Amino acid sequence: MTVATETTTGAVPSPSEEDVIVVNKMNKWYGNFHVLQDIDLTVRKGERIVICGPSGSGKSTLIRTLNRLETYQSGEITVNDILLGDDIKNIEAVRRDVCMVFQHFNLFPHMTVLENLTLAPIWVRKMPKKEAKDLAMHYLERVRIAEQALKFPGQLSGGQQQRVAIARSLCMQPKIMLFDEPTSALDPEMVKEVLDVMVELAKEGMTMLCVTHEMGFAKEVADRVIFMDAGQIVEMAGPQEFFDNPKSDRTKLFLSQILSH
Amino acid sequence: MSENAKSPPLPTGTFMERAVTWSKKNLFDGWFNTILTLGSIAFILWLVPPLVEWGIVNATLAPSIESCKEATGACWGFVNANLRLILFGTYPFDEQWRPLLAMIILMGIICGSLGGVKYAGVRKWIIPMWVIGVPIICILMWGGIFGLTYVQNSYWGGLPLTLILSSIGVIFAFPFGLLLALGRQSNMPAIKTVSVVYIEVIRGVPLITVLFMASVMFPLFLPDGVTIDKLLRAQIGIILFTAAYLAEVFRGGLQAVPRGQFEAGDSLALSYWQSMRLIVLPQALRLVIPPTVNSFISMFKDTTLVVIIGLFDFLGTVKLALRSDPAWTKYYVEGYAFAAAIFFLICFSMAKYSAYLEKELRKGEQR
């Protein structure tokens, strides 16, 4: 699957020098199973990182620790200089700036699209209803779905639902966005419409961490590509080097498997 | 089946012809259904005519024992003659307009609240209605001010008592059950343990035991001079008992909400209580409307058990009326039939409302 380029002209801006996420020697266990081992990762503001790897390699778990959907047992994660630990105040502060887009969208089925979008701005940002609605309509237009504002999620296609989910995150005006296999649950013909929206976001300088197998997307927008296997970061490099000249055998094997068809 | 190939054929022919076709298709297709149909018809013929004859044709409404003795059918005169005793129990006879009015107000508030689900205009009045209505009902029932004579609540009885016990029961058991359900799912061990123990213990004993404990055992533990009203004790017993059952119903609903919904709430920085109130509970409670109403219906009928601690609920007053005059005692079938009819009417309304509510809340969001 390749990313179409009609909507994606223009260069990808370079990230700044400022570090927004610092992961230091982070370890996580599920019982005795060591899911994440000594993870070290620094993400700069405006940087776009694609994380790939075989299933069960811990890549989803890694990005889920970054907004505390998963806990970790040792090491340290700081986001915007806030230490992400057990402190609920810190957790909520981090989550206000870090939004997640899920594989299965996780829209709220009992609310209209518009209500899905205005919920967090109204309750978390304490925004007046009118203003939240304007903001929501603005982002719905950006993901090209404004005409569906009053429908319920169940009435939309998968691609439309995922675009709504992206707009819902954008309404929180996050500094960092995490994408957890955003196109894996979609029918093939809907993948492009979602990737187009993500590419646009990348070009606007959003800091993004994206778990995906869409290698076209990685080549086009990523500043760095990370390959994970068995809970470890095996390889981390710029896209050109990563795809043309991978160092580890595991990376080579993985790339040959997913790029062969 | 073959006619269905293109479009459904429109019914043709006269009414009689269509009726014959319909019966052949729905009542007499095959020997098994034919036997069932004939059997059902025979059963209805055996049951209904004698019942109508007893209950309506040969029945008497006259409130005198003489006309009852002459009648070969039902003696509704028993109900007619004792109606006020049955409805209001031992509440002072001249003051019985008060429980009547209180009951009407209570029904009005309940209907208003139920209607509020659909009509936003009514919804904002639900809380004010209860805040204003409940004190008015208390004043009417107890009296003691505004020139109303004081009526001790041991004289309350009949339908108003049943309605008060069950509606106050619903109002308090619902939030308490919800807290217990959330407590049982909590990550905090102390809260979790307390919730689990509470639910299992209360569910494990019969309501009659809870009421008996509340009435007989509980006062023994109170210091001298401190008494808690018997009616209040019964009410608390009913609330505590129902809450344990509701907690498990709600827990089922909470478990049915996908984990992704909690995570979406978390990743939007909503707090635990915001996520619960705005995202999880609306979905969970909608899923458990049928078993919740089930619990309420069962609680409504269980209020009849307060009779064992000497309160006369609606069923209790029917028994009271039967015993009040030995001449009436043999007309117990009529008395219980009347009580059953009223109970059925109320329970059936609840069931109908729950069906309506499910339909109303499902509108527009079919997956």
Side-chain angles (χ1 to χ4, degrees):
Chain A
M1 180 69 52
T2 52
V3 180
T5 48
E6 308 91 65
T7 56
T8 58
T9 49
V12 179
S14 320
S16 75
E17 292 300 309
E18 187 188 338
D19 292 341
V20 286
I21 298 177
V22 179
V23 182
N24 187 11
K25 287 265 172 289
M26 188 262 285
N27 282 276
K28 175 176 177 63
W29 286 266
Y30 282 130
N32 285 328
F33 179 50
H34 202 169
V35 253
L36 294 175
Q37 304 179 19
D38 286 331
I39 302 289
D40 283 312
L41 175 65
T42 305
V43 182
R44 281 169 299 157
K45 192 175 177 200
E47 200 173 16
R48 291 146 294 256
I49 293 180
V50 165
I51 304 170
C52 58
S55 69
S57 60
K59 53 194 193 303
S60 286
T61 313
L62 171 60
I63 69 162
R64 287 161 58 87
T65 55
L66 300 180
N67 72 343
R68 195 68 179 186
L69 289 182
E70 301 283 352
T71 57
Y72 56 92
Q73 278 83 39
S74 77
E76 227 171 52
I77 297 177
T78 52
V79 179
N80 290 324
D81 296 325
I82 302 168
L83 175 67
L84 199 52
D86 289 328
D87 187 321
I88 189 84
K89 282 264 174 338
N90 283 3
I91 294 172
E92 285 182 2
V94 167
R95 284 174 178 167
R96 275 195 285 272
D97 289 335
V98 182
C99 276
M100 167 89 81
V101 173
F102 299 90
Q103 182 178 0
H104 295 287
F105 333 132
N106 296 353
L107 295 173
F108 308 130
H110 59 300
M111 298 178 184
T112 62
V113 165
L114 190 61
E115 286 165 343
N116 264 277
L117 267 66
T118 55
L119 184 78
I122 289 171
W123 290 93
V124 179
R125 296 254 187 252
K126 312 288 175 205
M127 197 181 275
K129 276 187 184 152
K130 173 80 175 62
E131 204 179 310
K133 195 188 153 199
D134 292 343
L135 183 76
M137 289 313 292
H138 168 75
Y139 283 117
L140 281 178
E141 267 157 34
R142 275 206 33 193
V143 301
R144 294 178 285 279
I145 207 166
E147 71 283 0
Q148 314 281 10
L150 298 179
K151 288 197 180 164
F152 286 92
Q155 298 166 312
L156 305 182
S157 74
Q160 289 173 322
Q161 291 194 46
Q162 193 60 295
R163 283 186 282 149
V164 170
I166 293 172
R168 179 176 70 177
S169 291
L170 289 173
C171 281
M172 278 297 280
Q173 297 173 304
K175 300 202 174 87
I176 301 164
M177 281 185 76
L178 309 173
F179 292 84
D180 186 5
E181 306 208 28
T183 57
S184 303
L186 296 177
D187 290 335
E189 76 271 21
M190 294 171 184
V191 171
K192 180 179 170 296
E193 65 188 55
V194 172
L195 287 179
D196 283 348
V197 169
M198 289 168 59
V199 169
E200 275 172 49
L201 271 175
K203 304 213 158 172
E204 282 163 23
M206 174 68 77
T207 312
M208 295 165 73
L209 280 91
C210 185
V211 172
T212 185
H213 294 142
E214 297 294 336
M215 291 302 132
F217 174 79
K219 282 175 186 162
E220 186 175 5
V221 303
D223 297 302
R224 270 190 288 167
V225 182
I226 291 174
F227 174 70
M228 285 185 73
D229 192 19
Q232 288 167 315
I233 293 180
V234 175
E235 186 145 356
M236 171 151 59
Q240 186 143 24
E241 202 191 335
F242 183 87
F243 290 109
D244 297 347
N245 192 16
K247 295 203 172 44
S248 115
D249 291 339
R250 278 189 281 177
T251 316
K252 284 177 195 158
L253 179 65
F254 178 74
L255 286 175
S256 74
Q257 281 165 343
I258 67 163
L259 295 176
S260 62
H261 53 84
Chain B
M1 286 299 146
S2 57
E3 309 89 280
N4 287 348
K6 285 173 205 142
S7 59
L10 294 169
T12 51
T14 63
F15 176 76
M16 273 312 289
E17 280 166 3
R18 276 186 284 142
V20 169
T21 320
W22 182 87
S23 339
K24 266 188 189 156
K25 191 174 153 214
N26 292 295
L27 300 177
F28 300 102
D29 62 330
W31 61 270
F32 184 68
N33 277 354
T34 307
I35 292 175
L36 280 185
T37 302
L38 294 177
S40 306
I41 291 172
F43 180 74
I44 292 167
L45 285 178
W46 172 77
L47 182 74
V48 174
L51 208 58
V52 170
E53 213 167 288
W54 175 81
I56 299 170
V57 181
N58 294 335
T60 172
L61 243 181
S64 70
I65 198 86
E66 286 73 29
S67 58
C68 272
K69 278 179 180 154
E70 282 162 29
T72 52
C75 165
W76 300 119
F78 160 71
V79 174
N80 196 355
N82 295 291
L83 190 61
R84 286 178 67 169
L85 179 60
I86 292 173
L87 282 182
F88 303 115
T90 49
Y91 206 89
F93 194 79
D94 293 331
E95 302 287 334
Q96 282 177 0
W97 62 272
R98 284 158 52 180
L100 178 66
L101 187 58
M103 195 162 72
I104 291 169
I105 293 173
L106 184 61
M107 292 302 267
I109 301 175
I110 291 172
C111 292
S113 308
L114 297 183
V117 170
K118 182 160 186 192
Y119 303 103
V122 184
R123 201 175 307 154
K124 59 173 183 268
W125 290 103
I126 292 180
I127 290 173
M129 274 194 306
W130 285 99
V131 170
I132 299 167
V134 170
I136 294 178
I137 291 169
C138 290
I139 290 169
L140 281 170
M141 293 303 289
W142 265 297
I145 49 172
F146 302 130
L148 298 169
T149 48
Y150 176 69
V151 180
Q152 226 185 328
N153 60 20
S154 51
Y155 292 113
W156 299 8
L159 202 52
L161 183 71
T162 297
L163 290 176
I164 288 172
L165 279 173
S166 43
S167 52
I168 302 290
V170 167
I171 290 169
F172 285 93
F174 192 94
F176 186 39
L178 209 50
L179 286 178
L180 283 171
L182 294 177
R184 191 165 186 165
Q185 294 213 314
S186 169
N187 295 325
M188 289 174 265
I191 291 179
K192 191 184 167 104
T193 312
V194 169
S195 306
V196 171
V197 168
Y198 177 89
I199 291 168
E200 296 306 339
V201 168
I202 298 286
R203 270 202 315 174
V205 295
L207 176 59
I208 219 160
T209 319
V210 175
L211 289 173
F212 203 68
M213 294 275 280
S215 157
V216 181
M217 303 287 287
F218 183 60
L220 299 178
F221 297 109
L222 288 176
D224 283 343
V226 179
T227 54
I228 296 181
D229 186 78
K230 187 160 75 172
L231 179 66
L232 185 62
R233 272 182 271 146
Q235 180 73 76
I236 291 173
I238 289 170
I239 291 170
L240 297 183
F241 188 78
T242 308
Y245 278 85
L246 280 177
E248 287 298 277
V249 168
F250 294 151
R251 190 165 68 97
L254 290 172
Q255 282 174 348
V257 176
R259 225 174 97 85
Q261 294 290 310
F262 293 83
E263 291 179 350
D266 281 349
S267 83
L268 291 170
L270 291 162
S271 70
Y272 172 82
W273 289 107
Q274 285 173 334
S275 279
M276 273 298 159
R277 192 163 78 78
L278 300 165
I279 299 168
V280 179
L281 288 181
Q283 297 183 58
L285 294 182
R286 185 171 312 182
L287 288 169
V288 295
I289 290 171
T292 306
V293 173
N294 203 17
S295 288
F296 287 158
I297 286 177
S298 145
M299 181 192 72
F300 177 71
K301 291 184 296 182
D302 281 350
T303 55
T304 52
L305 292 174
V306 296
V307 82
I308 68 140
I309 57 170
L311 294 168
F312 290 103
D313 76 302
F314 183 58
L315 192 63
T317 53
V318 171
K319 284 186 206 154
L320 199 64
L322 286 169
R323 269 186 277 135
S324 64
D325 182 348
W328 288 123
T329 307
K330 65 176 177 176
Y331 298 108
Y332 62 91
V333 175
E334 287 83 345
Y336 286 129
F338 178 68
I342 300 285
F343 272 102
F344 174 77
L345 203 67
I346 294 173
C347 294
F348 188 64
S349 312
M350 286 197 249
K352 279 311 222 189
Y353 180 77
S354 99
Y356 162 81
L357 192 60
E358 273 182 78
K359 218 172 104 195
E360 199 56 40
L361 294 177
R362 250 202 323 261
K363 264 184 197 164
E365 49 171 304
Q366 271 85 12
R367 286 180 198 231

